[in-house]
């Protein structure tokens, strides 16, 4: 028997107003995703969740007051570059408040059981932003703000953040590095931007052991990601027993993405998302929220979003029209690598 699952979608046209010009992180990404969800009939099956802006007080759970006002005043003065990769326009501060707020809307809807799970299609993305610095197309750390908000407002004890963007979420890791209440698990191409995320970064002080990095050699794909999820994420999550799961969903891990070199297919994303959905069902009453991070191939990303929404809706048939990577050469070393990570994290 199929269980009917209600999945929420956070989206608002305000997300198109963060104007980055010809930068790869631009509004065409969301336009392409939304039109595919519309044409494929997926949108009408989703519960629409109109986002609210995050309050400055909520951002301050992650970011310094100085940094927040610096972004605001830079936008007011016409915008410009916050870091060598991150450009803003006059509207970007407001849009960034809605991006962080979109995750808060999704979190509230899941915690109040209005929906079983939700996907927040927001931009700018967030996982590189640190307490006092914009980095890598990110202004405020949307997922970190949502995690702090969930812990503060819904009486949760433990929260898991899983991050399958092709880049390491250095800002998210930093935010919770000493915090035993938030377990951060990341798979990412390594060595690669932003340079962090090696296996020996495992947390500090009371947070020791609650950061789990699974760096990936360029060229690995579905098989390696699936094993990282099944053999590392699953046992670590079962041991940790989260009350809520947040996911930094980046689709720049797809084999067609031009800015990175991993070989994951849409089928691979579907398998990872199925594992996350099943973990949430087993451990935390299904509470699961995804936020869009990277992903720049305007062909693959809309299909990937539709596919993962099909997983959340409980649909049995899921398409991968883009198919598997044709790349035949795969670098070795995976067995030793996963063994080392399992040792570091005391996984039997
Ligand atoms: Zn990325």
């Amino acid at each position: 028997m199929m269980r009917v699952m209600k999945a929420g979608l956070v989206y608002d046209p305000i997300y198109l107003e963060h104007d980055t010009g010809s930068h790869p992180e631009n509004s065409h990404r969301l336009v392409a995703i939304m039109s595919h969800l519309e044409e494929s009939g997926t949108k009408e099956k989703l519960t629409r969740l109109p986002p609210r802006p995050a309050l400055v007080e909520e951002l301050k759970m992650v970011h310094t007051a100085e940094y927040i006002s610096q972004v605001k005043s830079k936008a007011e003065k016409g915008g410009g570059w916050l870091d060598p990769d991150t450009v803003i326009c006059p509207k970007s501060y407001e849009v960034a408040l809605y991006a962080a707020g979109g995750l808060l809307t999704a979190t509230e809807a899941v915690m109040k059981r209005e929906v079983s799970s939700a996907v927040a299609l927001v931009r700018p993305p967030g996982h590189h932003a640190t307490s006092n610095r914009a980095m890598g197309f990110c202004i405020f750390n949307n997922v970190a703000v949502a995690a702090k908000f969930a812990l503060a407002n819904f009486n949760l004890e433990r929260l898991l953040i899983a991050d399958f963007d092709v880049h390491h979420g250095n800002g998210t890791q930093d935010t919770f590095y000493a915090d035993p209440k938030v377990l951060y698990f990341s798979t990412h191409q390594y060595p690669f931007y932003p340079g962090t995320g090696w296996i020996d970064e495992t947390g500090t002080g009371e947070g020791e052991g609650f950061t789990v990095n699974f760096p990936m050699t360029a060229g690995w794909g579905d098989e390696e990601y699936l094993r990282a999820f099944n053999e590392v994420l699953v046992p670590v999550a079962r041991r940790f027993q989260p009350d809520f799961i947040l996911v930094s969903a980046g689709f720049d891990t797809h084999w067609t993405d031009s800015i990175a070199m991993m070989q994951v297919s849409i089928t691979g994303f579907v398998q990872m998302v199925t594992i996350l959905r099943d973990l949430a069902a087993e451990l935390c009453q299904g509470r699961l929220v995804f936020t869009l991070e990277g992903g720049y191939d305007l062909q693959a990303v809309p299909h990937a979003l539709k596919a993962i929404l099909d997983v959340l809706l409980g649909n049995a048939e899921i398409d991968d029209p883009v198919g598997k990577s044709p790349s035949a050469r795969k670098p070795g070393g995976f067995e030793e690598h996963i063994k080392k990570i399992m040792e570091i994290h005391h996984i039997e």
Side-chain angles (χ1 to χ4, degrees), residues 54 57-63 99-101 103-104 107 122 124-131 138-153 159-163 169-177 179 181-184 244 246-248 289-293:
E57 285 310 306
E58 291 166 334
L59 295 181
K60 277 162 68 180
M61 293 188 285
V62 171
H63 298 285
L103 269 258
L104 305 185
T107 297
V122 303
H127 73 156
H128 295 305
T130 71
S131 66
C138 301
I139 299 174
F140 299 128
N141 196 316
N142 308 321
V143 81
V145 173
K148 291 271 191 185
F149 169 82
L151 290 169
N153 292 280
L159 190 150
L160 167 67
I161 301 176
D163 185 334
N170 59 294
T172 312
Q173 172 170 299
D174 272 9
T175 306
F176 302 108
Y177 208 54
D179 188 345
K181 295 193 295 296
V182 177
L183 192 147
Y184 178 62
F244 182 38
L246 280 163
V247 184
S248 275
V289 168
F290 291 80
T291 185
L292 181 64
E293 299 283 1

Side-chain angles (χ1 to χ4, degrees), residues 77-278:
K77 289 177 189 142
W81 295 88
L82 289 175
D83 110 306
D85 298 310
T86 315
V87 68
I88 63 167
C89 74
K91 191 87 179 175
S92 295
Y93 175 72
E94 189 190 348
V95 181
L97 294 181
Y98 273 92
L103 269 258
L104 305 185
T105 301
T107 297
E108 280 166 336
V110 166
M111 295 308 303
K112 293 177 180 166
R113 311 208 66 78
E114 290 159 18
V115 291
S116 322
S117 58
V119 173
L121 290 180
V122 303
R123 56 182 292 277
H127 73 156
H128 295 305
T130 71
S131 66
N132 60 2
R133 208 146 79 93
M135 270 180 75
F137 325 161
C138 301
I139 299 174
F140 299 128
N141 196 316
N142 308 321
V143 81
V145 173
K148 291 271 191 185
F149 169 82
L151 290 169
N153 292 280
F154 294 99
N155 212 13
L156 306 182
E157 284 176 26
R158 285 175 303 278
L159 190 150
L160 167 67
I161 301 176
D163 185 334
F164 61 72
D165 188 275
V166 81
H167 303 97
H168 181 241
N170 59 294
T172 312
Q173 172 170 299
D174 272 9
T175 306
F176 302 108
Y177 208 54
D179 188 345
K181 295 193 295 296
V182 177
L183 192 147
Y184 178 62
F185 171 86
S186 176
T187 50
H188 43 272
Q189 183 174 327
Y190 190 99
F192 204 47
Y193 183 87
T196 50
W198 186 239
I199 56 177
D200 61 358
E201 295 166 30
T202 56
T204 188
E206 289 189 354
E208 177 62 53
F210 298 101
T211 294
V212 180
N213 282 307
F214 202 118
M216 295 279 185
T217 301
W220 288 350
D222 291 351
E223 200 186 316
E224 290 77 18
Y225 273 78
L226 204 56
R227 288 196 54 193
F229 270 56
N230 276 321
E231 295 172 39
V232 176
L233 173 63
V234 169
V236 158
R238 285 190 175 137
R239 181 165 70 193
F240 183 64
Q241 295 280 315
D243 303 309
F244 182 38
I245 301 176
L246 280 163
V247 184
S248 275
F251 299 93
D252 38 11
T253 319
H254 193 269
W255 66 269
T256 60
D257 202 282
S258 60
I259 80 168
M261 285 156 272
M262 300 315 301
Q263 301 297 319
V264 173
S265 70
I266 289 173
T267 302
F269 291 125
V270 164
Q271 290 168 323
M272 291 190 265
V273 168
T274 303
I275 291 169
L276 290 164
R277 183 197 67 189
D278 294 348

Side-chain angles (χ1 to χ4, degrees), residues 60-71:
K60 277 162 68 180
M61 293 188 285
V62 171
H63 298 285
T64 64
E66 294 73 19
Y67 172 63
I68 298 165
S69 55
Q70 182 199 329
V71 175

